[in-house]
Amino acid sequence: IFEKGTDNVVKTGISGGKISKADKSYRATNQVNKLNKAEGAAKYDSRVVEKIPAGKGARQKALDSEKANANKNRKTLDPNIHKTP
């Protein structure tokens, strides 16, 4: 999830759910909608950074990817929105 205008990543995460036709995670879209409602404006949006195919070791690859992405964007992550890792 990133802030529109500045492109700062405020939350990163993984979802094993379906991807919409707009190439967005339904889970992230739900979170974005809640954040935007709380802000009173369309301040946030989401994007899929990486798709990891199902199979042996996929869960660990996804977790490792999430951690690497969080570390890369650590300085812009909002601690009130992004909890772990």
Side-chain angles (χ1 to χ4, degrees), residues 33-66:
N33 290 341
K34 287 179 183 178
L35 289 170
N36 284 336
K37 187 175 181 180
E39 281 292 321
K43 182 177 179 180
Y44 300 102
D45 199 1
S46 67
R47 62 178 156 241
V48 174
V49 177
E50 181 180 4
K51 293 180 185 176
I52 298 171
K56 188 174 181 175
R59 178 72 179 163
Q60 191 58 51
K61 286 178 192 173
L63 292 171
D64 292 344
S65 176
E66 178 193 11

Side-chain angles (χ1 to χ4, degrees), residues 10-54:
V10 295
K11 183 177 189 329
T12 184
I14 59 173
S15 173
K18 293 183 177 183
I19 302 295
S20 71
K21 290 180 183 176
D23 204 32
K24 294 182 182 264
S25 161
Y26 285 107
R27 180 178 175 175
T29 300
N30 185 32
Q31 292 173 349
V32 165
N33 290 341
K34 287 179 183 178
L35 289 170
N36 284 336
K37 187 175 181 180
E39 281 292 321
K43 182 177 179 180
Y44 300 102
D45 199 1
S46 67
R47 62 178 156 241
V48 174
V49 177
E50 181 180 4
K51 293 180 185 176
I52 298 171

